[in-house]
Amino acid sequence: MTETVFRNARIVQPDRIVEGNVVVRDGVIDEIDETIVQMSGPGVDLEGDWLIPGLVELHTDHLEGHYSPRPKVRWNPVAAVQAHDAQIAASGITTVFDALRIGMDEDTRLVANDMQVLGAAIAESRAAGRLRADHYIHLRCEVSASDAIESFEHFLDEPLVRLASLMDHTPGQRQFTSLDAYKTYYLGKSGMTEAELLVVMEKRIAHAEIYSAKQRQLLAAKCRERGIVLASHDDATIEHVAEAAGIGVLVAEFPTTMEAARASRDAGMKILMGAPNIVRGGSHSGNVAARSLVEAGLLDVLSSDYLPFSLLHATFRIANEVEGIDLPQALAFVSLNPATAAGMDDRGAILPGRRADLVQVRTDGDVPLVRTVWRQGLRVV
């Protein structure tokens, strides 16, 4: 039996903060001692820092930037996964769902085969023990894309797939009800001329009429058959939420309006919003601010989306700035709640019997500092 004592910590539990020690045996939290004991024997002195549960990230497409850092560049996929993993772990994230695109958009420089390559690299790296965090796969399914079903089927037998979101980025609805906002976003992102983008927009609208409704139903059925947790994406109306509830969606990702968020809560869904939205102070698309949902009691989960460190940064900002939300409640958005939403009851909290996924954090300014990270009791950062 291996034993480690984490001493002299401010321990953040789901409903309280205690000062003391955490005893870990064989990678599992065994005991929480609320007696301050300075270093006098084997163990780790946390010097009065925060000890928080390892963060759980359900939706990040951060890996793509490491695999394709420049147009027409494809990096070694295992090296890309390792670089992504290093940044994830150094941000205090110990469980991560890497988002892979299913159904290609014209604005991306990646194709369906790239997603298969990355999926294989994640599985290979995980099996070889190369990774600091515990990695799973989240399939981001663009229901309006003609190749969505074909692309999904390449992952049917991959056990790491635990979560799938049903997305539709057709111009004029959901995330981009404003066509002007759509054009501004994609002109900046894609490098297309306005004339080229207008052609793409017309094509996407036509494809949505052909594919969206049918493929949303088919993909949802395939996920339900395999026990894959379903998420909706960018719901804007009560009708969107009703449709999602009807096909078994459990997580509402990035609702764009307060109306949709309230309907999602009424339907029993967990509501997920972006941590960058919190840090920046609003949505880059002009939709409802995540902080407004926090203040209305309509947030369950935060996701780092495209910037891993935003998850921890947003957590401490909420605890410091939002009335009525303390640090244990804020940390639940990035640990216990996402773990529960993904069906993982073995992590996400500093409690006896849970995995010893732990993060030592120091706060001496606006930006928290990750000092050390452990996964199942073993130091990874």
Side-chain angles (χ1 to χ4, degrees):
M1 178 180 291
T2 60
E3 177 180 295
T4 304
V5 180
F6 297 88
R7 305 180 186 276
N8 189 24
R10 287 180 289 170
I11 305 160
V12 185
Q13 295 189 275
D15 59 352
R16 61 180 183 156
I17 298 170
V18 299
E19 295 183 346
N21 315 313
V22 175
V23 180
V24 171
R25 294 189 174 94
D26 291 340
V28 176
I29 297 167
D30 186 72
E31 180 183 351
I32 298 171
D33 177 8
E34 297 181 33
T35 303
I36 294 291
V37 179
Q38 301 297 330
M39 284 294 292
S40 59
V44 180
D45 184 2
L46 298 187
E47 302 173 350
D49 288 341
W50 300 107
L51 186 65
I52 67 173
L55 310 186
V56 179
E57 170 57 72
L58 296 186
H59 182 131
T60 175
D61 51 16
H62 179 255
L63 173 57
E64 289 186 6
H66 289 283
Y67 176 62
S68 180
R70 293 289 187 274
K72 299 182 181 180
V73 171
R74 298 291 189 276
W75 208 248
N76 177 288
V78 171
V81 169
Q82 289 183 190
H84 161 66
D85 169 70
Q87 191 168 347
I88 285 290
S91 298
I93 299 167
T94 53
T95 301
V96 58
F97 284 68
D98 298 318
L100 301 180
R101 298 171 184 244
I102 296 299
M104 293 298 112
D105 296 331
E106 290 82 351
D107 70 283
T108 179
R109 52 181 177 255
L110 301 177
V111 297
N113 183 65
D114 290 315
M115 298 300 105
Q116 296 167 41
V117 167
L118 285 175
I122 292 167
E124 175 188 337
S125 301
R126 192 179 192 275
R130 290 176 171 268
L131 304 178
R132 295 167 172 83
D134 193 14
H135 286 250
Y136 296 87
I137 293 174
H138 172 163
L139 298 180
R140 303 169 60 238
C141 305
E142 186 66 32
V143 298
S144 61
S146 61
D147 63 341
I149 299 296
E150 177 185 355
S151 298
F152 183 92
E153 289 179 346
H154 286 290
F155 289 91
L156 284 181
D157 298 321
E158 176 50 70
L160 293 181
V161 176
R162 301 279 292 270
L163 177 64
S165 53
L166 303 177
M167 309 188 303
D168 188 346
H169 290 98
T170 302
Q173 51 93 47
R174 294 184 184 263
Q175 182 179 358
F176 293 105
T177 53
S178 165
L179 293 179
D180 287 338
Y182 184 96
K183 286 191 287 186
T184 298
Y185 178 78
Y186 279 102
L187 284 173
K189 179 181 179 182
S190 67
M192 299 180 196
T193 66
E194 185 166 357
E196 290 170 335
L197 181 59
L198 287 173
V199 172
V200 168
M201 290 170 64
E202 290 178 3
K203 182 179 179 181
R204 286 189 176 179
I205 291 169
H207 277 189
E209 293 178 359
I210 298 169
Y211 298 112
S212 290
K214 176 177 65 176
Q215 293 192 148
R216 186 181 297 274
Q217 294 288 334
L218 286 172
L219 288 166
K222 289 177 182 291
C223 289
R224 291 196 303 268
E225 289 168 4
R226 290 159 181 79
I228 298 170
V229 175
L230 268 172
S232 61
H233 194 85
D234 294 338
D235 288 342
T237 67
I238 292 174
E239 290 74 21
H240 289 159
V241 176
E243 178 183 49
I247 57 177
V249 165
L250 299 178
V251 179
E253 288 189 340
F254 314 113
T256 65
T257 65
M258 185 68 75
E259 176 187 54
R262 292 191 189 282
S264 298
R265 173 57 54 79
D266 291 342
M269 300 177 194
K270 298 295 184 184
I271 300 170
L272 178 152
M273 292 291 282
N277 188 312
I278 294 287
V279 175
R280 293 179 66 253
S283 164
H284 67 76
S285 303
N287 295 315
V288 67
R291 179 161 174 163
S292 296
L293 298 192
V294 175
E295 293 170 342
L298 292 173
L299 181 77
D300 299 294
V301 177
L302 281 174
S303 163
S304 70
D305 199 5
Y306 56 87
L307 190 67
F309 188 73
S310 67
L311 207 56
L312 189 65
H313 195 180
T315 298
F316 278 88
R317 178 161 289 185
I318 289 171
N320 291 332
E321 297 179 2
V322 179
E323 185 177 353
I325 303 290
D326 59 17
L327 185 56
Q329 291 170 310
L331 274 167
F333 297 146
V334 297
S335 54
L336 183 59
N337 292 357
T340 301
M344 296 175 162
D345 60 3
D346 62 343
R347 66 195 75 191
I350 301 180
L351 293 170
R354 300 269 178 154
R355 284 169 48 127
D357 295 348
L358 303 168
V359 184
Q360 179 186 5
V361 178
R362 178 163 292 179
T363 50
D364 54 7
D366 179 58
V367 180
L369 172 65
V370 174
R371 299 189 67 198
T372 319
V373 180
W374 297 266
R375 180 160 71 92
Q376 292 183 286
L378 299 177
R379 182 173 178 175
V380 294
V381 173

